[in-house]
Amino acid sequence: MLEEVKNLVGGEGPPVYTTSTGCPIYNPLASARIGKGGPVLLQDFHLIDVYQKFDRERIPERVVHAKGSGAFGLFEVTKDITKYTKLKMFNKIGKKTPMLARFSQVSGEQGSPDTFRDPRGFALKFYAEDGIFDMVGNNTPVFFLRDPAKFPVFIHSQKRNPQTSLRDNTAYWDYLSQNEESIHQVMILFSDLGGTPYGYRFMDGFSSHTYKFVNDKGEFHYCKWHFLSDQGTKGMTHEEATDMIGLNQEFARQDLFEAIDRGDYPSWTLYVQVLTPEEAEKFRYNSFDLTKVWPHKDVPMQEVGRFTLNQNPQNFFAEIEQAAFSPSHMLPGVEVSPDPVLQVRTFSYPDTHRHRLGANFEQIPVNSARCPVFNYSRDGPMNVTDNQGSMPNYPSSLQPLAKEYHEPNEKHEKWVGEVTYHMDEITDVDFEQPRAFWEKVLGKQPGQQDNFVKNVALHLSKAIPVVRQRQYKVFEKVDPELGARIKESTEKAAEKLAATENKVINEGNKHMFEPAN
């Protein structure tokens, strides 16, 4: 930008201060007034201009994933998966695609600490040769729900109390204890790795959703993708995360920025799991259930490529806060599956961006495709392109748009059935994977089962008794011993909490400006 200014004015030196329309201002820190003690003048355009811009500096923060950080980088294909997908960015080993990554907290606001126990968002935007391709996910391979109707109320239960505007542990666990399919995510979230990762560089990313890969023959496969950190995974204990909140509430943001700034570029390797439609139909678990993983022993991971983040944003608001990701931003070779939560999110995400950023959010540079865009949509507020020039805004026979044929095999896409509102019957199957996580993941790492019990107890102890008792029963279904340990530890923590509640720490002092007697 500075070079452009130098070329424009034809000289060296710092750029000249101007109004928003380019008029030079001699003293931007002074107002036009009638005399030294008089009122300001409405004719002072610069003053009015500054205040009108200042009053409009903020845009609505994201309802979910508000606190985040990001950086730019490159994705490089390392393995051939063209038998599964005709996605152009995957069509040749060694092919590189510029990209943007954004990492975030799920339920916290803009000002929340980034070591707070919370799932982390993991969103990627690829500036491919044929358009924008977004991958969105979390740092956990599962989620709290499988019916999209539950998502808004679930998020409400994780936010602030509508009366007190305080964090509400009772509401938090009240929802979870009534929706038992959430237990797999709860198990991961309250482990040291799932809930409090050591910044962003040492965490993995997962789609949790099921997508469809389509190849150049029109055949499709169901797929999930996983981005595994090349730095390894690393988490914080409850004590470490709590201490870090007191020391640096932007630890993860600072760690990512400074690592890239010093040339210590973080990278992640992309793997996919793939099922044929026939395999998905016979699979033990519902392939479109977000509360379940596809076990690696049944569906091996296959390497695709690697991305490296090597460039920090020059302006956080312009390039990270205004970045708009959506699972609906797809390209030929990848499509939406019957996953009901994914289907609703393809609507919800762009709708959010149009609310936050405007009808033409795709024209903001960080969201713009690097290829020409032609369609019949026009106009709208903040349209900053040539608006597709003189091209007709309807299907014209005089200036037609070409159509690219890509239609998948429809054999497994014919659905017959009645409308149903019942997706969440809880069965023993819902507790198999949480039980395996308790026994085979946490159980094989020294101290991790103890830490899990402690982490849950410290949080659950702040909920009211009836909610605590209901949640104990959910843990008992995972493992009777786990339920008993959670109950014992939580009730001890609740007794300790009750003994110290409302205890006066000190009597307080007089107001700092009030004279002492």
Side-chain angles (χ1 to χ4, degrees):
M1 182 65 182
L2 189 57
E3 289 301 318
E4 294 175 10
V5 171
K6 288 179 180 179
N7 294 334
L8 182 65
V9 301
E12 296 294 326
V16 173
Y17 181 93
T18 71
T19 65
S20 57
T21 52
C23 178
I25 297 294
Y26 173 69
N27 188 352
L29 302 181
S31 308
R33 305 173 66 179
I34 301 177
K36 291 186 177 181
V40 298
L41 296 175
L42 187 62
Q43 72 183 42
D44 188 343
F45 168 75
H46 170 260
L47 179 67
I48 303 303
D49 186 49
V50 166
Y51 267 85
Q52 288 178 332
K53 290 288 179 62
F54 177 73
D55 293 342
R56 293 163 175 80
E57 281 182 1
R58 296 292 173 263
I59 60 176
E61 70 173 35
R62 294 166 171 87
V63 176
V64 194
H65 300 282
K67 175 72 174 283
S69 303
F72 295 89
L74 280 175
F75 175 84
E76 181 176 1
V77 178
T78 56
K79 301 292 182 181
D80 182 4
I81 62 164
T82 54
K83 65 181 178 181
Y84 299 128
T85 176
K86 62 180 179 180
L87 199 63
K88 284 186 178 180
M89 63 174 281
F90 291 164
N91 67 7
K92 185 173 66 174
I93 293 176
K95 188 168 189 175
K96 296 180 180 179
T97 302
M99 57 163 297
L100 167 69
R102 183 178 185 269
F103 311 105
S104 58
Q105 276 65 52
V106 169
S107 66
E109 308 94 348
Q110 282 271 23
S112 62
D114 55 21
T115 54
F116 184 72
R117 186 174 300 281
D118 199 18
R120 303 301 193 271
F122 198 107
L124 306 175
K125 183 179 297 292
F126 299 96
Y127 303 98
E129 62 186 283
D130 53 343
I132 294 291
F133 175 41
D134 287 347
M135 289 185 179
V136 298
N138 286 333
N139 71 317
T140 57
V142 296
F143 199 58
F144 295 92
L145 50 87
R146 55 194 173 217
D147 189 323
K150 291 187 175 184
F151 186 77
V153 293
F154 159 68
I155 292 298
H156 288 168
S157 75
Q158 311 298 291
K159 294 283 192 177
R160 294 178 179 272
N161 181 287
Q163 179 184 17
T164 65
S165 195
L166 298 172
R167 292 282 179 180
D168 189 340
N169 290 46
T170 290
Y172 187 103
W173 289 100
D174 188 29
Y175 173 88
L176 297 177
S177 63
Q178 295 182 84
N179 295 272
E180 296 181 0
E181 74 275 15
S182 65
I183 188 62
H184 195 182
Q185 173 73 310
V186 169
M187 296 292 295
I188 297 172
L189 179 62
F190 280 85
S191 70
D192 290 343
L193 291 178
T196 53
Y198 191 87
Y200 299 129
R201 294 184 297 139
F202 298 93
M203 73 179 197
D204 300 328
F206 305 91
S207 67
S208 71
H209 289 296
T210 299
Y211 291 79
K212 288 197 308 186
F213 272 157
V214 183
N215 64 21
D216 56 9
K217 298 178 182 178
E219 302 166 336
F220 76 84
H221 295 73
Y222 293 116
C223 68
K224 288 178 180 282
W225 37 65
H226 311 263
F227 285 93
L228 303 188
S229 170
D230 294 330
Q231 293 72 233
T233 55
K234 185 178 180 182
M236 293 184 176
T237 65
H238 171 79
E239 291 77 14
E240 289 170 338
T242 302
D243 289 346
M244 185 57 72
I245 290 174
L247 293 170
N248 182 359
Q249 295 206 357
E250 269 74 44
F251 166 76
R253 176 176 290 177
Q254 182 174 343
D255 176 70
L256 177 66
F257 188 95
E258 291 183 350
I260 295 173
D261 201 42
R262 66 175 178 263
D264 184 9
Y265 302 138
S267 64
W268 286 259
T269 299
L270 168 63
Y271 297 88
V272 292
Q273 290 179 287
V274 179
L275 287 175
T276 66
E278 294 80 9
E279 289 171 334
E281 289 177 2
K282 299 173 183 177
F283 203 52
R284 172 166 177 72
Y285 304 108
N286 183 339
S287 302
F288 314 119
D289 182 350
L290 271 68
T291 69
K292 308 289 190 299
V293 298
W294 296 357
H296 293 174
K297 64 181 178 61
D298 300 324
V299 191
M301 295 202 305
Q302 303 179 52
E303 183 179 326
V304 180
R306 178 177 294 104
F307 79 83
T308 302
L309 299 181
N310 57 13
Q311 180 184 335
N312 280 317
Q314 293 301 304
N315 184 279
F316 187 91
F317 178 86
E319 298 173 297
I320 304 301
E321 185 60 21
Q322 290 193 126
F325 302 84
S326 173
S328 59
H329 296 165
M330 298 182 182
L331 296 172
V334 62
E335 297 180 357
V336 179
S337 79
D339 177 341
V341 181
L342 174 61
Q343 291 179 338
V344 170
R345 281 178 169 165
T346 60
F347 159 78
S348 180
Y349 278 58
D351 187 55
T352 293
H353 302 323
R354 290 185 172 94
H355 158 65
R356 294 183 64 243
L357 303 170
N360 288 304
F361 73 89
E362 302 100 330
Q363 296 180 13
I364 298 172
V366 73
N367 299 321
S368 294
R370 306 290 172 87
C371 64
V373 173
F374 295 103
N375 50 50
Y376 305 125
S377 298
R378 296 291 193 278
D379 310 338
M382 298 302 294
N383 192 314
V384 296
T385 68
D386 66 353
N387 207 24
Q388 301 189 48
S390 61
M391 290 290 293
N393 58 358
Y394 70 98
S396 168
S397 64
L398 304 177
Q399 288 182 273
L401 294 179
K403 296 179 182 179
E404 181 178 311
Y405 179 84
H406 57 91
E407 189 171 346
N409 185 327
E410 296 180 348
K411 179 180 178 182
H412 291 273
E413 288 293 280
K414 295 178 181 178
W415 303 92
V416 179
E418 299 176 350
V419 172
T420 177
Y421 292 92
H422 304 287
M423 295 175 61
D424 274 334
E425 293 87 351
I426 302 299
T427 69
D428 291 341
V429 174
D430 290 304
F431 300 96
E432 287 182 359
Q433 293 187 357
R435 187 176 302 119
F437 183 78
W438 169 251
E439 295 174 350
K440 298 178 181 179
V441 178
L442 299 183
K444 291 185 177 180
Q445 302 180 49
Q448 284 303 306
Q449 287 188 336
D450 293 337
N451 283 4
F452 175 82
V453 171
K454 178 183 63 179
N455 293 341
V456 171
L458 290 171
H459 199 281
L460 182 56
S461 61
K462 298 175 184 177
I464 62 175
V466 65
V467 170
R468 299 201 301 263
Q469 296 298 325
R470 191 188 307 135
Q471 186 62 41
Y472 299 151
K473 293 178 181 178
V474 181
F475 283 118
E476 287 172 2
K477 292 180 181 180
V478 175
D479 183 277
E481 180 192 0
L482 169 62
R485 290 181 61 180
I486 292 285
K487 181 175 182 178
E488 180 183 9
S489 185
T490 302
E491 290 305 310
K492 285 182 179 178
E495 289 176 11
K496 185 177 180 181
L497 193 65
T500 58
E501 227 169 30
N502 300 321
K503 183 178 180 181
V504 176
I505 298 175
N506 61 57
E507 297 299 329
N509 299 313
K510 289 182 177 295
H511 191 284
M512 63 181 292
F513 295 119
E514 185 178 345
N517 293 332

